[in-house]
Amino acid sequence: MADTPEAKMKKKVDKVLKEAGVWFFAPQSGIYGRSGIPDRIACVNGHMVGIEVKASPKHKPTALQVKAMADMTKAGAHCILVDSDEGVASFRTWLTWKLEQC
């Protein structure tokens, strides 16, 4: 079965995280998960990072996703939206910079 455009973008984000040696996971959705949580949760230099992935800039986070990211940010986490190859490149740059802040 072919990957969806969003699945392809998630693989790119996963590759960036793996190459950087960052711990992360994909939260369970559906009946056993919590709706609105970003697609990836990572720990970068002791900070929680939520990464919401969309197939393209025309696909926007839902109201529930926006609220979850706002709540996470209020609690001290970093939240990032990646929705393009340029977004993946920007995320890679941010991640590199964040990891160098030891």
Side-chain angles (χ1 to χ4, degrees):
M1 178 179 250
D3 284 338
T4 64
E6 185 168 309
K8 290 177 183 176
M9 193 65 67
K10 287 177 183 177
K11 284 183 179 181
K12 292 175 185 181
V13 169
D14 290 351
K15 182 178 179 191
V16 170
L17 291 164
K18 288 176 186 175
E19 287 174 350
V22 170
W23 179 91
F24 72 98
F25 75 103
Q28 177 71 34
S29 60
I31 191 170
Y32 298 109
R34 185 172 171 183
S35 297
I37 300 299
D39 295 303
R40 300 294 182 264
I41 302 294
C43 186
V44 179
N45 276 356
H47 290 99
M48 182 179 179
V49 179
I51 307 146
E52 180 59 37
V53 182
K54 295 295 180 189
S56 73
K58 71 179 182 178
H59 297 94
K60 304 295 181 194
T62 66
L64 197 53
Q65 290 168 331
V66 170
K67 181 179 181 337
M69 289 188 289
D71 290 347
M72 290 170 66
T73 300
K74 186 177 176 183
H78 299 281
C79 288
I80 299 165
L81 173 65
V82 177
D83 60 8
S84 64
D85 287 336
E86 293 80 11
V88 173
S90 294
F91 174 60
R92 180 181 282 113
T93 300
W94 177 85
L95 185 59
T96 300
W97 170 78
K98 194 68 175 165
L99 289 171
E100 290 174 353
Q101 288 188 329
C102 288

